[in-house]
Amino acid sequence: MASLTKKELQKKYQDYKAQGLALDMTRGKPGTEQLDLSLPMMDLVTSKDYKTLAGADTRNYGGLDGIPEMKEIFKDFLEVSSTDEVIAAGNSSLTLMHDTIARAMSHGFPESKKPWGKLDKVKFLCPSPGYDRHYSVCEHFGIEMITVPMTEKGPDMDVVEKLVAEDKSIKGIWVVPKYSNPTGITCSKKTVKRLAKMTTAAKDFRIMWDNAYTVHHLSKDQDELENILEACKAKGTENRVLIYGSFSKISFAGAGVAGMGASVDNINWMKGHLSMATIGPDKINQLRHTRFFKNFKGVQKHMKKHAEIIAPKFDAVIEILEKELGGKGIATWTVPKGGYFISLDVPKGCAKEVVKLAAEAGVKLTAAGATFPYKNDPKDENIRIAPTLPSMGEIKLAMRVLTVCVQLAAASKK
């Protein structure tokens, strides 16, 4: 498509502003159609039928690490070898991750000489662009964040290996290993093996393996991810990795079920802390989930229905980006095979301006810089696009506005 003049772009932009739009693409929320897929679950636990397969009363206390049926699903979901390596918890994997860090700060891990909170400094590696809520957890606990570049194979392992070998205050790394937020990258087999075998100065180093999108494929063309816990076991580093996942974007975003997978040592460590905080999770919710999905194959079948709903939305975003920005040398974007986001890179120094222009035209986007620690994108070029919540019509209109804003910002930069 031929490039428009700056005057023509300004005219199109003013026309959009005059429409009084109110479109929101700020966060990766499931759309109403996706949430509706799980509605039958609400009828599967009744006032007369609330016991587990083993006859346990889900209304009562107990079951600190979840009901057996839910743990069995999470065993396959998190790709661990035994339900002894699983905790089935409440509705949020973010809560599990937050609480893991909180307990490391207050008490340390079994290998820790002292609680992290009593150390002079605690640092975390943050592959970027990445997930903003991981960074918020670090900021909340005063953990220093070190930006690590993301490559097409995952975190830049040359950088990671050098840093963790030299600095014992580096206690962990955040990784969204499959269809990562926001780039859609899946860690390569080699990256996983290097994470498992690398030498770390900190004996209590942890990989926070947030496998949020493990079943969130967009088509039959799917990425494969190497099993991190098995890779660590092979190198004698099985206590290094903590695996997280949830049903927040599978069943109900506000009432899913979260799980943690890890070595038995790490699970026992976590259960010891959980016993101080709760008598058990919401077992009624876990029961309705297990009755609805039955097993992990049921989850996979369910996610094909999600893909049928959201894949066309991703296709629409890519199509408009290609049509309006393709071949102009002013933007690049990812074409993910799964997950919830598309990552857009605009000319250096333009991301904040693009987001500002879009907001003034009635299209809200994730804040520029949000995908980097301290909300500081050093190149000011990355924008996260979240296509799942809006309707198809809203997505197409929002993307047309966005592409005009990108061109305007690029033209003003020249």
Side-chain angles (χ1 to χ4, degrees):
M1 183 177 178
S3 297
L4 299 175
T5 65
K6 188 174 182 180
K7 185 176 181 180
E8 290 172 326
L9 288 168
Q10 288 173 331
K11 172 66 167 57
K12 288 190 72 171
Y13 180 71
Q14 291 302 325
D15 288 343
Y16 283 129
K17 283 187 71 174
Q19 294 182 36
L21 302 175
L23 306 175
D24 191 342
M25 296 182 73
T26 55
R27 298 216 70 88
K29 296 180 181 180
T32 301
E33 285 182 88
Q34 292 172 264
L35 298 172
D36 287 347
L37 293 173
S38 298
L39 278 177
M41 182 188 302
M42 304 296 287
D43 304 320
L44 296 182
V45 177
T46 71
S47 61
K48 296 180 181 179
D49 187 9
Y50 44 77
K51 292 185 178 181
T52 67
L53 290 173
D57 189 337
T58 58
R59 301 172 303 167
N60 218 329
Y61 292 134
L64 181 66
D65 52 353
I67 65 173
E69 299 96 308
M70 196 71 243
K71 292 183 66 176
E72 189 65 38
I73 292 177
F74 267 122
K75 175 177 74 69
D76 296 330
F77 183 87
L78 300 173
E79 297 186 312
V80 299
S81 58
S82 165
T83 55
D84 291 336
E85 297 173 326
V86 171
I87 291 173
N91 73 308
S92 171
S93 57
L94 181 61
T95 299
L96 281 171
M97 289 184 278
H98 169 278
D99 289 356
T100 300
I101 299 299
R103 285 153 184 161
M105 295 296 285
S106 63
H107 288 77
F109 287 101
E111 311 96 312
S112 304
K113 291 185 177 180
K114 61 173 69 174
W116 289 4
K118 293 186 177 181
L119 299 173
D120 292 336
K121 186 162 286 189
V122 177
K123 303 174 186 175
F124 251 66
L125 301 185
C126 299
S128 302
Y131 182 32
D132 52 327
R133 292 194 183 273
H134 290 161
Y135 310 149
S136 297
V137 170
C138 282
E139 283 198 86
H140 184 64
F141 290 104
I143 296 172
E144 181 181 327
M145 293 180 280
I146 301 172
T147 301
V148 172
M150 278 289 281
T151 73
E152 292 182 356
K153 297 180 180 180
D156 188 325
M157 287 307 300
D158 290 339
V159 174
V160 171
E161 287 170 340
K162 182 176 186 300
L163 289 172
V164 299
E166 294 174 348
D167 190 346
K168 66 180 181 180
S169 68
I170 297 176
K171 295 294 188 179
I173 182 172
W174 294 104
V175 184
V176 181
K178 192 167 188 176
Y179 306 137
S180 67
N181 177 353
T183 60
I185 290 167
T186 296
C187 289
S188 70
K189 183 175 182 179
K190 187 175 181 180
T191 294
V192 173
K193 290 187 178 296
R194 288 176 74 176
L195 284 165
K197 73 178 183 180
M198 66 187 181
T199 299
T200 63
K203 301 302 180 185
D204 51 356
F205 182 90
R206 289 297 187 269
I207 300 170
M208 302 292 285
W209 197 253
D210 184 3
N211 206 356
Y213 307 107
T214 181
V215 293
H216 294 73
H217 314 291
L218 290 172
S219 70
K220 292 181 180 179
D221 183 15
Q222 301 171 2
D223 286 348
E224 296 295 328
L225 177 66
E226 185 78 357
N227 188 308
I228 183 72
L229 185 56
E230 291 304 313
C232 286
K233 286 179 179 178
K235 296 299 178 181
T237 60
E238 59 267 25
N239 286 349
R240 175 176 292 179
V241 64
L242 303 166
I243 307 166
Y244 303 90
S246 82
F247 282 67
S248 293
K249 292 181 174 68
I250 297 174
S251 57
F252 302 125
V257 178
M260 173 179 169
S263 68
V264 172
D265 286 346
N266 275 328
I267 291 297
N268 287 338
W269 172 85
M270 189 64 157
K271 284 168 66 176
H273 287 289
L274 278 175
S275 68
M276 300 297 110
T278 181
I279 304 299
D282 181 348
K283 296 185 292 298
I284 293 175
N285 191 35
Q286 290 191 6
L287 185 61
R288 66 169 66 101
H289 273 76
T290 58
R291 287 180 176 175
F292 182 72
F293 292 109
K294 295 182 174 61
N295 51 40
F296 184 57
K297 287 185 179 179
V299 175
Q300 293 172 310
K301 183 178 179 180
H302 185 77
M303 291 311 293
K304 291 179 181 178
K305 298 177 183 178
H306 278 259
E308 291 172 1
I309 294 169
I310 66 173
K313 296 182 178 183
F314 277 75
D315 291 342
V317 170
I318 300 299
E319 182 181 342
I320 292 172
L321 287 172
E322 188 62 47
K323 180 181 178 181
E324 302 295 337
L325 302 179
K328 295 181 179 178
I330 59 172
T332 59
W333 52 89
T334 57
V335 184
K337 294 182 181 180
Y340 256 58
F341 304 100
I342 292 168
S343 182
L344 172 67
D345 282 345
V346 298
K348 185 176 180 180
C350 287
K352 289 181 180 177
E353 179 63 16
V354 170
V355 171
K356 177 175 174 289
L357 287 170
E360 291 173 353
V363 177
K364 293 182 180 180
L365 301 167
T366 303
T371 54
F372 286 79
Y374 307 109
K375 299 179 176 61
N376 178 31
D377 177 355
K379 296 182 180 179
D380 186 25
E381 66 178 11
N382 185 253
I383 296 172
R384 186 178 74 182
I385 299 173
T388 54
L389 179 62
S391 68
M392 182 65 80
E394 290 171 334
I395 288 168
K396 290 180 177 180
L397 181 54
M399 289 308 301
R400 292 190 185 102
V401 174
L402 174 58
T403 54
V404 167
C405 294
V406 172
Q407 293 174 83
L408 261 181
S412 299
K413 194 73 175 176
K414 292 179 180 178

